[in-house]
Amino acid sequence: LGREGEAGGLHVRQSPFDPKLMDIKFFDRDGSDLSVKQEKAIEQLFFREDFCRAKPDEVSEIVLPTHAQEYYRDGFLKNIDKEVIQETKYKVVIDYAFSSAALIFPQILGLCGCEVVSLNAYLNPEKVTKTHEEFNRSLEQLAHIVTTLKADIGFLFDTGGEKVFLVDEKGKIISAELALILISELVMRNNPGKKITCPLSVSRVIEEIASKYSVEVRRTALLPRYILDTARKEDLVFLGDGVGGFIFPAFQPAFDAMFASVKILELMAKTDIRLNRLTREIPKFKVLRQRVACPLDKKGRIMRELISETKDKKTELTEGIKIFYTPKDWILIIPDPEEACFHFWAEAEKEKFAQELLLEYQEKIKSLQSE
């Protein structure tokens, strides 16, 4: 986006979370998500109907770019070491989740020499939306097939082909946050002395691992826009969002399940390690998460109160407020940009203290609401 002088773009889709809703995603001239402020401004204009409608003869033609798949495939293959993957002869199970990745990815995997078992590898507009229960069932089915076929890894794509979720060679489902830690470790082993980025909510274990490889870890806000902006502007080798999104900026500064999957295979091959063994090698961690309801009109005041009350503590205000009690004990509080709630993340050397932090700030939020 932006290479031909475009002012922006939009994408219309059925919501992946609610089959009764349609999403309209707007992008700026660089292909980034609009800021929350810009999105709210568009919503207000739309609901007020305070805009001029284009006349039929003023609507331009729709032009489809030619050879887009060929350009993508060629750029993809230039940014991976397919020879090292070919030598391993990995057996891979992929659940395409009826996404359009099934139209492109099989040929690329064939060039990488992988033995592939494909699931749901066709387009089905009725399967765009998945409930939380359906998503979990898909992961469990993938885990069962990986175990049965003695595959080296399993990948589950989202329907947009952006996020990828992992099952290790033992058939164990890897949580999204653990997946980020594991892939970060693989990246660090192959890129010592470089820089990576992850969100504020990710465990401090990632800094412990980075110290072994002289890698600098930069923290970013959780919203995809900030992660994508960082991918475009910073000299980084890897970014992750902690919820299935991985970015390798050398190829393109965007979430891409297909490229991430092959890059994971390449990193595994270069380090001669699979994910189950790697899981046993990293420090144990647990980040607790909670959601607390709060009226929309009170979130701003409550955030100001929290910032004022924690002036004597070490804090970080990149997004919401992250309060450090020690380098290893912290709580992150972020107001939801759309819904009437706050999100909490907490981590501590002793899990009991993390639970106490969640309870303390849950009661504080409730108390401040009643004032």
Side-chain angles (χ1 to χ4, degrees):
L1 188 64
R3 294 183 180 179
E4 303 297 331
E6 302 95 339
L10 60 89
H11 176 61
V12 182
R13 68 180 184 187
Q14 183 178 334
S15 170
F17 309 109
D18 188 338
K20 299 186 290 296
L21 297 178
M22 296 293 292
D23 290 340
I24 304 177
K25 297 290 292 180
F26 289 88
F27 305 95
D28 63 19
R29 65 175 65 249
D30 299 318
S32 297
D33 292 347
L34 296 185
S35 67
V36 174
K37 182 178 179 180
Q38 290 171 312
E39 288 180 345
K40 294 296 183 186
I42 292 173
E43 284 182 5
Q44 290 173 3
L45 288 171
F46 178 77
F47 288 114
R48 290 205 318 256
E49 297 192 6
D50 189 15
F51 54 87
C52 297
R53 287 170 169 76
K55 298 177 182 177
D57 58 353
E58 292 177 344
V59 178
S60 186
E61 63 179 327
I62 297 175
V63 179
L64 299 177
T66 57
H67 305 296
Q69 290 190 17
E70 289 84 354
Y71 291 143
Y72 175 83
R73 183 196 62 208
D74 292 346
F76 189 117
L77 294 173
K78 286 177 182 176
N79 285 279
I80 61 166
D81 186 347
K82 65 177 185 292
E83 286 75 20
V84 74
I85 303 174
Q86 289 168 350
E87 292 172 4
T88 60
K89 296 181 172 56
Y90 282 131
K91 180 185 285 188
V92 181
V93 183
I94 300 178
D95 187 340
Y96 286 95
F98 310 100
S99 69
S100 57
L103 304 176
I104 307 169
F105 203 34
Q107 182 186 18
I108 294 174
L109 284 173
L111 294 172
C112 293
C114 295
E115 180 183 346
V116 182
V117 176
S118 299
L119 309 173
N120 304 315
Y122 61 94
L123 298 180
N124 186 344
E126 296 181 0
K127 299 287 187 177
V128 170
T129 302
K130 262 187 182 176
T131 64
H132 185 68
E133 291 75 18
E134 288 171 333
F135 172 78
N136 287 335
R137 281 200 298 271
S138 294
L139 271 177
E140 289 166 3
Q141 179 190 47
L142 178 63
H144 176 71
I145 294 172
V146 167
T147 305
T148 303
L149 299 179
K150 295 181 170 60
D152 297 292
I153 193 170
F155 298 109
L156 170 64
F157 291 178
D158 72 345
T159 52
E162 294 182 325
K163 305 292 182 75
V164 59
F165 304 90
L166 309 178
V167 170
D168 70 21
E169 70 275 16
K170 300 294 185 182
K172 292 186 177 179
I173 297 170
I174 299 175
S175 69
E177 184 177 15
L178 176 58
L180 174 55
I181 301 289
L182 294 177
I183 306 313
S184 297
E185 164 94 18
L186 290 174
V187 171
M188 294 179 203
R189 290 189 183 194
N190 287 273
N191 298 274
K194 300 293 185 179
K195 300 174 186 175
I196 69 169
T197 286
C198 67
L200 293 165
S201 58
V202 174
S203 170
R204 43 84 186 164
V205 160
I206 199 165
E207 276 88 4
E208 291 183 27
I209 298 170
S211 65
K212 298 189 300 183
Y213 305 102
S214 301
V215 168
E216 179 184 345
V217 178
R218 295 190 177 181
R219 297 286 185 154
T220 183
L222 280 68
L223 287 175
R225 176 184 177 85
Y226 298 120
I227 297 172
L228 294 171
D229 280 349
T230 304
R232 289 182 173 90
K233 296 174 183 176
E234 301 288 342
D235 182 21
L236 303 161
V237 292
F238 173 71
L239 302 90
D241 66 358
V243 286
F246 304 108
I247 299 176
F248 295 87
F251 174 49
Q252 60 175 349
F255 297 118
D256 185 335
M258 292 183 287
F259 188 80
S261 300
V262 172
K263 200 67 181 176
I264 290 168
L265 294 175
E266 177 194 312
L267 294 168
M268 286 168 50
K270 285 183 174 179
T271 50
D272 190 26
I273 192 169
R274 293 187 176 90
L275 297 184
N276 188 269
R277 194 181 105 202
L278 185 60
T279 301
R280 298 195 300 270
E281 292 183 6
I282 66 169
K284 300 298 181 186
F285 70 92
K286 187 170 185 179
V287 177
L288 304 182
R289 182 172 179 179
Q290 189 172 12
R291 170 182 166 135
V292 179
C294 176
L296 289 170
D297 60 345
K298 295 187 177 181
K299 289 194 294 185
R301 179 180 61 80
I302 289 173
M303 279 302 302
R304 290 191 295 272
E305 292 280 354
L306 290 175
I307 292 170
S308 176
E309 288 182 10
T310 55
K311 283 182 178 179
D312 59 331
K313 295 182 175 66
K314 180 184 177 184
T315 59
E316 188 171 341
L317 303 175
T318 303
E319 183 178 13
I321 180 170
K322 189 172 186 179
I323 307 161
F324 294 89
Y325 287 80
T326 73
K328 294 184 178 181
D329 304 334
W330 55 266
I331 183 166
L332 172 64
I333 303 167
I334 297 180
D336 191 287
E338 296 178 356
E339 299 183 26
C341 67
F342 280 89
H343 298 285
F344 293 176
W345 291 261
E347 183 181 30
E349 280 195 282
K350 295 181 179 179
E351 187 178 330
K352 183 180 179 182
F353 183 53
Q355 293 171 343
E356 291 172 355
L357 286 176
L358 288 179
L359 181 60
E360 176 188 344
Y361 280 92
Q362 178 184 354
E363 295 301 322
K364 192 180 292 290
I365 294 288
K366 291 180 179 177
S367 173
L368 289 171
Q369 288 181 40
S370 60
E371 292 181 4

